[in-house]
Amino acid sequence: MEARIRKANPQDVSAIAKVHVDSWRTTYKGIVADDYLAALSYEKRESAWLEILKSSPHSTSVYVAESPAGAVVGFASSGPEREGDATYRGEIYCIYLLQNYQRRGIGSALWIACVDHLRGLGFTSWLVWVLKSNPACQFYQALGGRLLREKNIQMGNQTLLEAAYGWASF
């Protein structure tokens, strides 16, 4: 399926929030506690994404994927790496797609948009953090991502394992 990838704008926050919450609820079912997923809120996500879109520096990008009908079906974000990694200077912060639009090449198109943005900033290496139990790990491996390291994160009352995949010297 063809999807149009474009830079997000503040008018997209409701659609981004819906994709964010809905994709978490489908992708992380059985991985993240049901009560945590049930407590996710469109309104809180809208507020957070509006703040990101309005106040993020030029170095941070947010892209949306639109269906042929113009509906936002996915989004991604990237910018400078956030934890001070000496090798992997860029970071893909997230890629989320509605379940019905996964495995159609849209995630790859969003990844390319983020990589192009990172290259435009002069980065030659980047990473992404993803829950180790997330099926998206296979997606990042298929794109050539190399498992760099893992860490525990707290999500509600759960401790989950997160993995970093990295790309260097492109």
Side-chain angles (χ1 to χ4, degrees), residues 30-118:
I31 298 171
V32 175
D34 290 343
D35 62 334
Y36 187 91
L37 295 174
L40 295 174
S41 156
Y42 295 132
E43 294 78 18
K44 286 180 184 173
R45 292 287 63 201
E46 280 182 35
S47 176
W49 281 107
L50 184 59
E51 185 62 28
I52 289 167
L53 288 173
K54 285 180 142 184
S55 65
S56 289
H58 169 73
S59 59
T60 298
S61 67
V62 181
Y63 295 95
V64 294
E66 291 182 326
S67 71
V72 172
V73 299
F75 70 94
S77 180
S78 63
E81 195 273 335
R82 298 175 284 188
E83 295 181 2
D85 190 288
T87 302
Y88 297 88
R89 306 299 297 156
E91 183 173 351
I92 296 177
Y93 303 138
C94 64
I95 299 177
Y96 292 116
L97 292 169
L98 293 175
Q99 187 174 35
N100 291 341
Y101 293 90
Q102 295 174 5
R103 302 189 190 299
R104 297 181 179 198
I106 300 169
S108 296
L110 286 165
W111 186 81
I112 289 167
C114 287
V115 167
D116 287 347
H117 171 76
L118 294 172

